Amino acid sequence: MVVKSYKSKSEQSKVMFLLSSSNFQQAYKRLQYIKQYSNYQKEQGEAIKSKTKELEQLNIELSKQKEDKQKLIEENRIAKRELEGELKEREVLMASIKSEMGKFSAQIKKKKQEAARLDKEIDRLIKETIAAANKKTGKTSTKGKFVETPEAKKLSANFESNRGKLGWPVSRGVIKGKFGKRRSLTDNTITQNYKSIYIATDANSDVKAVFNGVVAQIHVMKRGNPTILVRHGSYFSVYMNLSEVKVKRGDKIKTGQVIGKVFSNKSSGESLLGFRIYKNDQVLNPEPWLAKY
């Protein structure tokens, strides 16, 4: 009833607006105005409808964005918790590594000390061998050099003529550690001066003499592995890190003769033979003396 009354009132108002015109021209203008106003209202109604639809669609999109945002926030929370968990695990791991570093550093220091002691011992044995050999000839003041007999001179010359052609001390192997200054085999942050080359080979491989000679010394350090020194005139070949020795001091040996076996480290799984060459008491790089594969 209220709506109907309002519509009826609206139509009566328009009629009264036209009838109250003072002349026909004014009534015509008022009729045109009523039509324009009616069209304007329709356009506004359509615009409102269109805008309402746009707002509804925008509201749907905003709701969807809100859902996506909430989902992303939840995913970020989960990721944050996972990262916090990983960070805690890493902190625990780093603490464990730091605690182990002290042990590793102590082990590396101990290995370096053992290597230094072995170097000194080999140098001592070589000087002792030179001094003993020279004493037999009646000369002692040679400053670390052999006084060679004719036989020793011939053997030295033969050894020198085989530079680059000497057989390898193992049947199969590859040089893992080179001669001279380089990074440590156990810690690449440490530089050491190596007098040996280290040949990686098969477990329990035979160690063979690289040339004819005489077993000058066999040395076993306390808590260490055997080392064999073979004299070739004024030269020495040295075989380190053995598990077995199959010769004795004073034995004459031939090229390729088996003199021992390589030690295999159970913890690392490696079998490394340390190999050196000396001329008198001066250590040489042994790699250029060995034949090329």
Side-chain angles (χ1 to χ4, degrees):
M1 289 174 64
V2 171
V3 172
K4 191 172 182 181
S5 174
Y6 177 82
K7 287 183 177 180
S8 175
K9 180 181 177 182
S10 177
E11 291 296 326
Q12 288 176 0
S13 297
K14 291 177 182 178
V15 172
M16 291 303 296
F17 181 63
L18 288 172
L19 293 177
S20 64
S21 301
S22 58
N23 53 53
F24 178 78
Q25 186 176 4
Q26 190 181 53
Y28 178 77
K29 287 184 177 180
R30 287 186 177 185
L31 180 62
Q32 292 297 319
Y33 171 75
I34 289 170
K35 287 180 178 179
Q36 290 175 2
Y37 183 69
S38 178
N39 290 335
Y40 174 75
Q41 284 182 318
K42 287 179 181 179
E43 290 174 359
Q44 287 298 306
E46 292 297 326
I48 290 169
K49 286 180 181 179
S50 176
K51 199 68 177 177
T52 300
K53 288 182 179 180
E54 289 179 6
L55 290 172
E56 288 175 351
Q57 183 63 33
L58 180 61
N59 189 41
I60 292 169
E61 291 176 358
L62 289 173
S63 297
K64 181 72 168 55
Q65 289 179 5
K66 184 179 179 181
E67 289 177 4
D68 292 342
K69 187 176 180 181
Q70 290 293 337
K71 185 177 179 182
L72 184 60
I73 289 171
E74 185 60 29
E75 289 175 353
N76 286 338
R77 284 176 183 167
I78 294 170
K80 184 180 178 182
R81 286 196 294 268
E82 290 176 352
L83 287 172
E84 287 173 350
E86 289 178 3
L87 183 61
K88 287 180 181 178
E89 290 178 2
R90 187 171 297 179
E91 288 174 352
V92 172
L93 180 61
M94 287 301 295
S96 175
I97 290 171
K98 285 180 181 178
S99 67
E100 292 293 327
M101 281 300 291
K103 296 179 183 178
F104 293 146
S105 297
Q107 289 175 3
I108 291 168
K109 186 177 180 181
K110 185 179 178 182
K111 290 288 185 183
K112 286 180 68 178
Q113 290 172 346
E114 289 175 357
R117 283 199 300 270
L118 181 59
D119 286 347
K120 288 182 180 178
E121 192 63 21
I122 291 172
D123 290 343
R124 184 189 69 79
L125 291 172
I126 285 174
K127 288 176 181 178
E128 181 183 287
T129 302
I130 293 171
N134 290 345
K135 189 176 180 181
K136 290 180 180 179
T137 65
K139 295 183 179 180
T140 56
S141 58
T142 55
K143 295 182 179 179
K145 292 184 179 181
F146 279 106
V147 176
E148 292 184 312
T149 62
E151 183 183 357
K153 281 184 180 180
K154 184 178 179 181
L155 186 58
S156 296
N158 287 338
F159 191 87
E160 287 178 356
S161 66
N162 278 275
R163 178 183 169 88
K165 295 181 287 185
L166 292 178
W168 280 54
V170 289
S171 297
R172 290 174 33 140
V174 60
I175 295 174
K176 184 175 181 179
K178 290 184 174 291
F179 177 87
K181 287 185 177 181
R182 56 186 178 80
R183 295 191 185 278
S184 168
L185 292 175
T186 54
D187 186 350
N188 62 11
T189 63
I190 299 172
T191 300
Q192 291 180 253
N193 188 21
Y194 288 90
K195 295 182 178 181
S196 312
I197 61 171
Y198 288 89
I199 303 172
T201 185
D202 298 326
N204 299 316
S205 291
D206 288 332
V207 177
K208 298 179 290 185
V210 297
F211 202 71
N212 298 335
V214 178
V215 177
Q217 299 280 355
I218 296 174
H219 177 67
V220 182
M221 288 185 66
K222 189 177 181 181
R223 295 187 300 276
N225 296 321
T227 298
I228 298 175
L229 284 74
V230 178
R231 182 187 171 187
H232 316 279
S234 60
Y235 288 88
F236 289 96
S237 58
V238 182
Y239 310 81
M240 305 157 59
N241 197 38
L242 306 180
S243 62
E244 293 181 28
V245 174
K246 297 189 175 183
V247 291
K248 61 183 183 297
R249 186 175 176 180
D251 283 354
K252 290 185 177 181
I253 56 176
K254 299 291 184 181
T255 302
Q257 181 178 334
V258 175
I259 59 175
K261 282 186 175 292
V262 178
F263 174 77
S264 297
N265 190 314
K266 292 181 180 179
S267 60
S268 66
E270 288 186 317
S271 301
L272 292 176
L273 174 70
F275 179 68
R276 298 184 185 183
I277 289 179
Y278 285 80
K279 182 174 183 180
N280 295 307
D281 63 353
Q282 298 299 308
V283 67
L284 307 175
N285 182 358
E287 191 172 347
W289 288 80
L290 298 177
K292 302 297 181 184
Y293 273 168

